[in-house]
Amino acid sequence: MNTRHGGTILADALAGHGVRAAFGVPGESFLPVLDGLHDLKDRLQFVVCRQEGGAAYMAEAWAKLTGEPGVLFVTRGPGATNGSVGVHTAFQDSTPMLVLVGQVGNDFVEREAFQEIDYRRMYGPLTKWAAQIDRAERIPELVSHAFHTATAGRPGPVLLALPEDMLFSEAAVADVPRYRTPRAAPSAADMQELEKLLAAAQRPFVLVGGGGWTKRAIDALRAWAESAGIPVGCAFRCQDYFDNRHPNYAGDVGIGINPKLAQRVKDADLLLVIGARLGEMTTAGYTLLEVPVPKQKLVHVHAGAEELGKVYQATLPINANYEEFLLALSSVKTKREDWAKQTQAAHAEYLAWSKPIPMPGALQYGEVIAWLSRNLPEDAIVTNGAGNFASWLHRHFQYRGWQGGWRTQLAPTSGSMGYSVPAAVAAKIAAPQRTVVAVAGDGEFLMNGQEFATAVQYGAPIVVLVVNNGMYGTIRMHQEREYPARVSGTGLKNPDFAAYARAFGGHGELVERTADFAPAFQRAAASGKPAILELRIDPEAITPSATLSGLRAAALAKK
Ligand SMILES: Cc1ncc(C[n+]2csc(CCOP(=O)(O)OP(=O)(O)O)c2C)c(N)n1
Ligand SMILES: [Mg+2]
């Protein structure tokens, strides 16, 4: 057997596990890995980014989109700290990810050597597993361990630290076969009990979310919901798990929930929750379901056994992979006229809620989103980060479910800013033939706007909409509610975003009126370049249904 240096053993291990792309910013701490990747260029693309936060989001978005673990390379201390935002996002979104980080050599460890951090301690709460590879001959074993841990049960990020001396050292060690993810299946007894609970239910509601779904699970969900005539809601930022145009779709159970939908969830007598953890955003701050024993009967299906009973005691907890569960559910035949009527009403309420409401200003942003909803190709991918601008998107855009086996929505349930642009770049690299639109705020965009350079470098013609209201609007909204008329720390003076796009080698335009949007979008898409459309909206339009001065007046009246 030939000896190889650690960098080559690692690169070969990644390729052996089916990794097609890795994202990162190089560091002198992992030169042997870059060298190992050199020979694999045709199989494994290393996408060089401008900031590790952007790279980490790209790796996360790649995984969210394709279902394959995202791979991130960052250098020691500064790289590892910059990248942490994307790792946290992966953790909260249950996205499988492998973080590879440079480490000082074992000869210097524990001296606080240059850029030294103990990643096992730093990344403990942000990963499912954080370890260090101290001997090159153990790379195949520990990389295999990492892929299994990242993808099993509730998926999530894992980290391997790579001491410099280990990477340079030579070892004779064999590669291992590609990882296989174990899948828990529901028992026959689980399914019988569920059948009984369904038979007794007057007002059932299905809620889906979380990570680890597959196309077959998504298809089986749709088929079963149709045959049962049951309403389906999607958890926060998992709106593409069920085609929003489908008659069984009831809306998204997330931030800014339709009050009628919130009431429907509260009034349900049986909640069938598949994949969602039932976190703070999905439960409207733990109010839709009471902690720890909900009033509704709860059937909680989760791939991670440790998630069951964590906050909510379920009537019936089922530890299962979603594909296995939904395939089993497809043989549970239930169809009820009384359910079908509620489903119709739920969908009608959703449709009414999703209609844009006129807002102050010459640019009707709600109409812009509705136009995109009607005109984007069926398999378009839409990304966003955190900010009030996203409420219009989530409310007025009809997500079309998964297309071609992949997601069409990429957004962080961690509510993190700066996600929209890098996620769009990763999506466009993964699916060059698809239209990819990033919806950003003026604040949100500039948290990772530098990755627009990565889009230009890799010929990834995304279209970025920068919704410019001249402020960190979300925080201003909260500020006006809590401390009306005391504006503090929320204003922004912005650059010329269209000129920014052109300076990077892209296409840029400013849009100030509703009618100008469609032609501008078409020009941007036809330019063949990464593009930015700055949408200048009236700062009065603080949410899809409220004005800033209205919020202020209401808050002052209460004082
Ligand atoms: C990384 C990160 N930093 C800070 C916040 C807190 N935060 C949430 S929304 C928001 C403002 C977003 O501003 P912008 O992108 O302009 O969108 P707008 O709310 O104005 O529509 C801030 C600062 C966050 N969620 N994530
Ligand atoms: Mg803003």
Side-chain angles (χ1 to χ4, degrees):
M1 194 185 301
N2 291 339
T3 61
R4 295 172 288 176
H5 64 60
T8 300
I9 300 171
L10 179 68
D12 289 347
L14 296 178
H17 287 294
V19 175
R20 298 183 294 131
F23 301 85
V25 175
E28 70 276 29
S29 62
F30 60 91
L31 288 176
V33 182
L34 295 173
D35 181 64
L37 289 169
H38 187 267
D39 292 333
L40 296 171
K41 272 191 182 134
D42 300 337
R43 289 171 66 189
L44 201 172
Q45 182 181 22
F46 181 59
V47 178
V48 181
C49 306
R50 299 307 176 113
Q51 213 264 20
E52 291 84 355
Y57 280 145
M58 283 190 215
E60 198 277 345
W62 170 281
K64 206 179 248 171
L65 179 66
T66 65
E68 302 162 16
V71 176
L72 170 70
F73 277 103
V74 293
T75 195
R76 296 172 182 184
T81 45
N82 269 350
S84 60
V85 70
V87 184
H88 178 249
T89 301
F91 195 85
Q92 290 236 297
D93 265 313
S94 308
T95 306
M97 186 163 158
L98 174 56
V99 183
L100 296 152
V101 47
Q103 176 61 301
V104 304
N106 278 296
D107 37 352
F108 293 171
V109 77
E110 291 295 344
R111 289 182 182 164
E112 197 196 333
F114 183 57
Q115 305 178 336
E116 182 183 352
I117 297 176
D118 180 344
Y119 304 110
R120 286 177 283 220
R121 275 185 283 158
M122 175 190 164
Y123 268 101
L126 292 184
T127 54
K128 286 182 78 178
W129 183 54
Q132 183 162 310
I133 309 182
D134 284 325
R135 296 166 66 97
E137 55 268 35
R138 293 197 63 194
I139 291 173
E141 172 205 337
L142 291 168
V143 170
S144 168
H145 185 162
F147 277 102
H148 282 95
T149 305
T151 58
R154 175 185 169 193
V158 299
L159 178 142
L160 290 174
L162 310 169
E164 198 170 312
D165 54 340
M166 183 282 293
L167 285 178
F168 277 100
S169 72
E170 301 260 336
V173 61
D175 293 323
V176 299
R178 187 179 173 144
Y179 71 98
R180 287 190 57 170
T181 304
R183 303 208 314 190
S187 70
D190 287 338
M191 297 313 289
Q192 277 159 15
E193 197 176 335
L194 172 56
E195 200 164 345
K196 281 198 195 120
L197 287 165
L198 279 166
Q202 308 288 323
R203 296 176 307 283
F205 190 89
V206 178
L207 175 59
V208 295
W213 284 71
T214 59
K215 175 183 172 355
R216 288 180 75 198
I218 293 286
D219 291 346
L221 167 70
R222 181 184 169 126
W224 182 78
E226 247 166 43
S227 76
I230 206 164
V232 179
C234 292
F236 184 51
R237 292 188 170 153
C238 296
Q239 278 169 268
D240 60 340
Y241 286 18
F242 203 85
D243 192 328
N244 297 184
R245 301 161 303 186
H246 191 282
N248 289 57
Y249 183 66
D252 72 302
V253 182
I255 296 180
I257 186 174
N258 178 354
K260 289 192 174 157
L261 178 58
Q263 200 55 48
R264 192 172 285 282
V265 175
K266 280 186 182 165
D267 291 344
D269 61 353
L270 177 68
L271 288 176
L272 172 55
V273 178
I274 310 168
R277 283 192 302 120
L278 294 172
E280 182 181 345
M281 294 299 130
T282 304
T283 57
Y286 304 102
T287 61
L288 298 183
L289 290 82
E290 276 173 28
V291 178
V293 186
K295 281 201 299 240
Q296 307 94 323
K297 285 204 161 60
L298 173 63
V299 178
H300 198 181
V301 184
H302 209 284
E306 69 287 356
E307 296 304 324
L308 296 166
K310 189 164 157 183
V311 180
Y312 291 110
Q313 281 191 17
T315 315
L316 170 61
I318 301 180
N319 178 214
N321 167 276
Y322 311 128
E323 195 173 313
E324 298 290 343
F325 172 75
L326 283 153
L327 293 178
L329 188 63
S330 60
S331 52
V332 174
K333 301 284 175 232
T334 24
K335 183 153 187 85
R336 290 250 301 270
E337 278 313 306
D338 53 337
W339 294 0
K341 282 206 192 82
Q342 296 166 35
T343 304
Q344 265 177 18
H347 189 63
E349 283 163 14
Y350 156 69
L351 288 177
W353 174 254
S354 66
K355 293 239 157 31
I357 301 160
M359 63 184 228
L363 182 59
Q364 296 294 309
Y365 172 43
E367 294 297 340
V368 165
I369 297 296
W371 185 90
L372 289 171
S373 191
R374 289 191 304 272
N375 290 285
L376 284 185
E378 194 68 7
D379 65 354
I381 297 161
V382 181
T383 73
N384 69 271
N388 272 14
F389 66 91
S391 335
W392 280 265
L393 174 65
H394 296 336
R395 184 161 166 181
H396 306 307
F397 189 82
Q398 296 198 291
Y399 292 91
R400 299 82 181 274
W402 288 30
Q403 297 290 333
W406 284 359
R407 293 195 63 171
T408 56
Q409 177 185 32
L410 297 176
T413 62
S414 63
S416 191
M417 295 170 72
Y419 186 81
S420 60
V421 173
V425 176
K428 193 68 185 174
I429 289 173
Q433 72 290 359
R434 297 198 190 191
T435 299
V436 179
V437 178
V439 183
D442 48 339
E444 203 272 339
F445 173 78
L446 276 179
M447 281 213 181
N448 274 312
Q450 79 285 343
E451 300 305 337
F452 195 74
T454 310
V456 172
Q457 180 166 342
Y458 286 88
I462 58 172
V463 181
V464 185
L465 310 182
V466 178
V467 183
N468 183 0
N469 57 3
M471 60 182 164
Y472 287 130
T474 312
I475 312 308
R476 175 74 186 277
M477 170 185 76
H478 290 297
Q479 193 162 61
E480 291 290 354
R481 281 183 183 148
E482 303 294 331
Y483 302 102
R486 289 173 62 81
V487 182
S488 173
T490 49
L492 294 174
K493 181 166 169 56
N494 282 314
D496 176 341
F497 291 106
Y500 179 107
R502 291 192 289 271
F504 279 71
H507 173 96
E509 293 192 41
L510 169 65
V511 179
E512 294 182 285
R513 292 179 316 165
T514 314
D516 297 337
F517 177 75
F521 186 85
Q522 278 148 355
R523 281 192 297 275
S527 74
K529 297 177 188 173
I532 294 175
L533 298 179
E534 175 184 341
L535 310 185
R536 202 158 298 162
I537 67 165
D538 190 327
E540 260 293 283
I542 193 68
T543 77
S545 58
T547 60
L548 207 49
S549 49
L551 285 186
R552 177 180 286 189
L556 286 172
K558 264 201 230 151
K559 297 244 157 195

